[in-house]
Amino acid sequence: MYQASNVYFICAFAAIGGALFGFDISSMSGVLGTQAYKRYFGNPVSYAQGGITAAMPAGSLVGSLLSSFIADRCSRKAALQFASVLWIIGSILMAASVNIPMLCAGRVICGLCVGIASSIVPVYQAEIAPKRIRGRVVSLQQWAITWGILIQFFIQFGVAEGIGGGPQDPNQPTAAFRIPWAVQMVPAWVLFIGLFFCPYSPRWLASKGRWEEALQVLASLHGNGRIDDPKVLAQYREIEEALEKEREQAASPAKMMLERKMLRRVLLGMSVQMYYIVYIMEGAHIASPLATASIQYVINVAMTFPAVMWIDKWGRRPSLLCGSFGMMTWLFVSGALQQYFGQPNTDATRTSQNSDITWIVYNNRPVSSAIVSCSYLFVATFAMTWGPVSWTYPSEIFPSKIRAKAVSLSTAANWFWNTVLAFAVPPLLWNISFKMYYVFGAFNAAALIHMFFTARETAGYTLEEMDDVFTSKSYPWETHKKPRSRMDQIAEDIEAGNLEEHQRMLLQ
């Protein structure tokens, strides 16, 4: 069977799993305001709607925790295909749902898919990509997420407007929400079928003792099919040495993750994913009209692209630090503007607590425009920094033996807070209004301090060199992008005429 060999194509294709995450994020936003949805499901509010919304991240939490067992046993590729099947089943249940329990069941199953895909896609991409472009191709996960959010948002809006008399039509047919939920199956079918034509991760093959297949995949990906290519032989030897070192330790993956030095890395990966949730929290706080929301989604897509192109030149650490500082700034400015120029929204108070808008800026266009601008700048800053790095960093800092398990824990941290906030944010917004921006800003301040003292630079290093990076006696702020690695030196030795020696080592 034909196997794709272009690294960019393979990693971009795998990122369709990230697009499913994006579809998940906006799968409810476009239908909540339609009369068809409200009428058919009995106008769910408060905890009823909170349960529907939280069903997806709850499933994702479970899926992320299970992902490593599937990926380590059956391969990264098979795990993504299994996730695609779950998404298709869940989407069918959602599109055909006749009551809230059936809808929640469909969303839980879709959530299982998203939890697996969001954990394993970055691992698969990182294990296939060469170090010089690893950040770029893993960042495609975040870019795919932004496209998924944008596409699903406009599908839902277009269908809601085109079915019946529009979203406010009291007799609007249920197709207004069934069609978007059915259409979201399409990318999962594409991912499931296309993965048959993608290679297995060479590092996974090596971990299973399938060395000949691993060498063939490395040659296909990095040596134009030549197994005697210096870069291929160097990378093969480095993977072999790393796996031999892990076997000599004779520790189980669970015990290995609990060792003091490794536990710090696991907590760092979990922290990066935990802070990622600040973006979703901030997005939940903005009650945006269509135009404002559309601009945010477009900015998110557009500004992620520069990060995809240049993350390997910028480095991970500067992106984390500059992103935290920038987002903190926009949130504090926005909160201060609302505090000093806003007032209680008495209309919302007199009606009901179904509205989250309890504080509003009246008749002050410059201030309102400044607040919206801060929101746009926040999204742009996130898109260029934390968005891509949140997926790249956890996928590359762990050794092969625990990579899938540690990344699944990191992603689970994201989904745990996602689930909690699905219930917690609405009442928080009602009670503390503009102060929520200060809460978001404080999260980013904490992230800035935390990353300064713990995050080491990983750009320019191979996956097998990460132990050296994190066991170095230098402080995190002394680490920099590494332009050359040991693998580069081996490749140069082979090219200089020492091919026989390295081949002999490989055959031992």
Side-chain angles (χ1 to χ4, degrees), residues 128-441:
I128 279 181
K131 66 182 180 64
R132 69 182 185 279
I133 61 167
R134 187 176 61 243
R136 179 180 299 176
V137 296
V138 178
S139 295
L140 292 173
Q141 159 92 341
Q142 175 62 21
W143 203 33
I145 291 172
T146 66
W147 275 108
I149 296 171
L150 182 68
I151 292 169
Q152 178 71 326
F153 176 80
F154 281 112
I155 288 175
Q156 291 180 341
F157 174 74
V159 172
E161 288 291 334
I163 296 292
Q168 301 310 314
D169 178 5
N171 298 313
Q172 186 180 44
T174 59
F177 60 81
R178 297 192 191 280
I179 290 176
W181 291 342
V183 169
Q184 69 183 25
M185 285 187 284
V186 174
W189 275 112
V190 173
L191 180 63
F192 175 77
I193 296 171
L195 281 170
F196 283 110
F197 303 96
C198 293
Y200 289 101
S201 160
R203 288 171 170 83
W204 178 81
L205 289 170
S207 71
K208 297 299 181 182
R210 296 161 63 174
W211 290 101
E212 184 175 344
E213 292 177 72
L215 183 59
Q216 290 291 343
V217 172
L218 286 171
S220 176
L221 293 173
H222 310 304
N224 295 319
R226 294 176 50 226
I227 61 174
D228 61 346
D229 184 277
K231 295 189 295 294
V232 172
L233 293 172
Q235 192 167 4
Y236 180 90
R237 181 59 180 170
E238 194 165 27
I239 292 172
E240 187 178 45
E241 289 177 352
L243 289 175
E244 287 176 357
K245 182 179 178 181
E246 290 175 11
R247 291 192 183 101
E248 289 172 1
Q249 292 176 344
S252 66
K255 184 178 180 181
M256 191 173 175
M257 284 192 292
L258 292 175
E259 293 175 358
R260 184 176 179 182
K261 292 182 178 179
M262 193 60 66
L263 182 60
R264 290 177 182 175
R265 253 190 273 182
V266 173
L267 293 176
L268 176 60
M270 293 177 70
S271 298
V272 170
Q273 280 285 307
M274 180 187 72
Y275 292 128
Y276 180 92
I277 203 65
V278 174
Y279 169 69
I280 297 176
M281 290 166 61
E282 195 271 348
H285 189 205
I286 299 172
S288 304
L290 174 65
T292 303
S294 300
I295 292 171
Q296 284 184 351
Y297 294 148
V298 171
I299 289 174
N300 201 8
V301 171
M303 299 310 294
T304 300
F305 183 72
V308 171
M309 295 302 297
W310 295 303
I311 185 174
D312 290 304
K313 292 184 178 180
W314 294 341
R316 285 40 155 175
R317 182 177 166 84
S319 295
L320 292 171
L321 297 179
C322 293
S324 297
F325 180 80
M327 291 188 290
M328 174 189 70
T329 301
W330 307 129
L331 290 170
F332 282 148
V333 169
S334 184
L337 288 172
Q338 293 190 60
Q339 178 179 1
Y340 292 105
F341 294 97
Q343 60 189 79
N345 184 9
T346 54
D347 290 339
T349 306
R350 283 199 303 265
T351 54
S352 71
Q353 291 195 2
N354 292 340
S355 171
D356 290 333
I357 306 173
T358 58
W359 192 269
I360 195 166
V361 176
Y362 280 115
N363 298 323
N364 195 329
R365 187 174 181 81
V367 173
S368 297
S369 298
I371 293 171
V372 173
S373 297
C374 284
S375 174
Y376 293 159
L377 289 167
F378 175 91
V379 172
T381 304
F382 175 86
M384 289 190 293
T385 57
W386 273 81
V389 178
S390 295
W391 301 108
T392 302
Y393 201 69
S395 71
E396 64 187 5
I397 64 176
F398 302 110
S400 178
K401 188 173 184 178
I402 66 167
R403 184 173 297 123
K405 290 180 172 59
V407 172
S408 75
L409 283 177
S410 301
T411 311
N414 180 323
W415 290 113
F416 171 77
W417 289 106
N418 215 327
T419 306
V420 171
L421 292 167
F423 282 107
V425 166
L428 267 177
L429 296 180
W430 178 261
N431 289 305
I432 67 175
S433 58
F434 68 85
K435 299 182 185 70
M436 199 66 171
Y437 282 99
Y438 293 141
V439 174
F440 300 153

Side-chain angles (χ1 to χ4, degrees), residues 4-40:
S5 59
N6 184 283
V7 173
Y8 282 107
F9 174 81
I10 296 167
C11 292
F13 188 83
I16 293 175
L20 299 182
F21 187 179
F23 273 82
D24 160 30
I25 291 174
S26 59
S27 63
M28 291 298 297
S29 59
V31 302
L32 288 177
T34 64
Q35 291 300 315
Y37 175 83
K38 293 177 180 178
R39 185 184 70 253
Y40 193 81

